[in-house]
Amino acid sequence: MTNPFRPFLRRTLLCALPALMAMVLCTAMVSPAAAWSPFEQEWSPYDDWQLSSFHVSGVPGEMEGDLKAGLALTGKRRLLRSPILPTFSARMLEEDIARIRLALAREGYPAATVTPVATMDNTGKQLGLTLEISPGPMVSVVSVDMQGWPAALAPPDSTSRELLHAGRRFRDVELELSRQFLRRYLRDRGFAMAEVATEVRAARDSTVVINFSIAPGDLYLITSVSATGSSPDLRAGDRRLTNPELPCPYSKRDSRKSRLTSGPPSSTAG
């Protein structure tokens, strides 16, 4: 017996097939564009155009040389000749703008804006591009705090050139150098397992507070030193190295100088 529903289903599917195919094609065509950011949608019509010039303006003086060199749109440098500029892409422009903003934030300009300005030659499909930077207010350090510093050890001079201190421009690299300096300072004075963490907190619009969180660990002491296997002509030197005033705080710096063992032999709660 013939099922009357089957011809109806076949006709329905045949009628719907063109619409379904159109939906699939539209989805395939729309999906890439939907994945683009608004920025890429604005600049993507110029993809694969040749860059005829590329400039960056408004860079703070202390960063001027390094910033442009790290951008993809700068192209390949050549000795005593103009660089070879790449073909343009919206994605490359967006990534270079992100690189500039990150670099400026790390140098104390977190509110910087970057505006691309272009001149187009539609006939030759050439693009002259300038990135105009507005760095915004410079962020400075208003205060520096240290938490967890061991009571048994005097802290370093707060005005040391190796420490980020109040009144200076905030820079990521100086923050990291300060952290490494404090860690080294502690480890060279008996706190062999010391660690230092940093926290940056906004105080006002253009100032920050730096907090160094110290985890000193135990105080390690050298209680005895010995040397074996030396040749006779080196034994006098060995005696000088193995007769310090003991016990004394373990120092990674001094152990490197005297070739002592890399780990401290004993510790006391610090």
Side-chain angles (χ1 to χ4, degrees), residues 196-243:
V196 180
T198 59
E199 179 190 8
V200 181
R201 188 174 70 255
R204 292 188 297 274
D205 288 345
S206 58
T207 58
V208 292
V209 172
I210 306 296
N211 183 63
F212 292 102
S213 181
I214 314 296
D218 292 339
L219 174 63
Y220 284 82
L221 299 176
I222 297 174
T223 56
S224 65
V225 182
S226 62
T228 59
S230 322
S231 59
D233 58 322
L234 296 177
R235 285 174 185 162
D238 286 345
R239 283 193 294 273
R240 288 195 300 271
L241 293 175
T242 58
N243 284 283

Side-chain angles (χ1 to χ4, degrees), residues 158-231:
S158 61
T159 61
S160 168
R161 294 183 62 183
E162 296 185 85
L163 275 177
L164 193 59
H165 55 78
R168 288 172 66 169
R169 174 164 59 99
F170 172 79
R171 300 176 66 221
D172 263 8
V173 64
E174 288 194 21
L175 179 64
E176 176 58 18
L177 289 173
S178 296
R179 188 194 69 81
Q180 292 179 12
F181 167 73
L182 290 173
R183 182 172 178 265
R184 188 170 59 248
Y185 186 94
L186 287 159
R187 291 191 171 200
D188 284 342
R189 289 161 178 79
F191 296 92
M193 303 298 177
E195 294 294 345
V196 180
T198 59
E199 179 190 8
V200 181
R201 188 174 70 255
R204 292 188 297 274
D205 288 345
S206 58
T207 58
V208 292
V209 172
I210 306 296
N211 183 63
F212 292 102
S213 181
I214 314 296
D218 292 339
L219 174 63
Y220 284 82
L221 299 176
I222 297 174
T223 56
S224 65
V225 182
S226 62
T228 59
S230 322
S231 59

Side-chain angles (χ1 to χ4, degrees), residues 26-243:
C26 288
T27 302
M29 293 171 64
V30 171
S31 292
W36 289 343
S37 67
F39 182 91
E40 287 178 301
Q41 292 181 36
E42 178 184 355
W43 288 92
S44 61
Y46 309 106
D47 280 356
D48 298 325
W49 283 32
Q50 180 59 47
L51 274 181
S52 57
S53 63
F54 178 64
H55 303 286
V56 181
S57 66
V59 184
E62 65 274 10
M63 299 177 62
E64 194 163 2
D66 297 332
L67 189 61
K68 188 178 176 182
L71 302 178
L73 289 169
T74 299
K76 296 180 180 179
R77 293 183 175 275
R78 297 186 296 177
L79 185 63
L80 303 178
R81 289 186 292 174
S82 299
I84 300 174
L85 295 175
T87 54
F88 176 82
S89 82
R91 182 68 57 88
M92 191 183 295
L93 173 59
E94 190 170 32
E95 289 173 351
D96 270 354
I97 289 175
R99 288 187 185 100
I100 291 172
R101 294 195 62 195
L102 178 61
L104 288 166
R106 287 176 169 172
E107 290 293 318
Y109 300 96
T113 60
V114 184
T115 306
V117 178
T119 56
M120 290 83 167
D121 176 4
N122 292 312
T123 304
K125 288 192 173 182
Q126 291 190 334
L127 190 72
L129 187 62
T130 299
L131 300 184
E132 296 181 350
I133 296 174
S134 175
M138 183 190 73
V139 172
S140 59
V141 178
V142 69
S143 68
V144 178
D145 301 320
M146 285 193 290
Q147 295 180 352
W149 191 267
L153 180 65
D157 185 352
S158 61
T159 61
S160 168
R161 294 183 62 183
E162 296 185 85
L163 275 177
L164 193 59
H165 55 78
R168 288 172 66 169
R169 174 164 59 99
F170 172 79
R171 300 176 66 221
D172 263 8
V173 64
E174 288 194 21
L175 179 64
E176 176 58 18
L177 289 173
S178 296
R179 188 194 69 81
Q180 292 179 12
F181 167 73
L182 290 173
R183 182 172 178 265
R184 188 170 59 248
Y185 186 94
L186 287 159
R187 291 191 171 200
D188 284 342
R189 289 161 178 79
F191 296 92
M193 303 298 177
E195 294 294 345
V196 180
T198 59
E199 179 190 8
V200 181
R201 188 174 70 255
R204 292 188 297 274
D205 288 345
S206 58
T207 58
V208 292
V209 172
I210 306 296
N211 183 63
F212 292 102
S213 181
I214 314 296
D218 292 339
L219 174 63
Y220 284 82
L221 299 176
I222 297 174
T223 56
S224 65
V225 182
S226 62
T228 59
S230 322
S231 59
D233 58 322
L234 296 177
R235 285 174 185 162
D238 286 345
R239 283 193 294 273
R240 288 195 300 271
L241 293 175
T242 58
N243 284 283

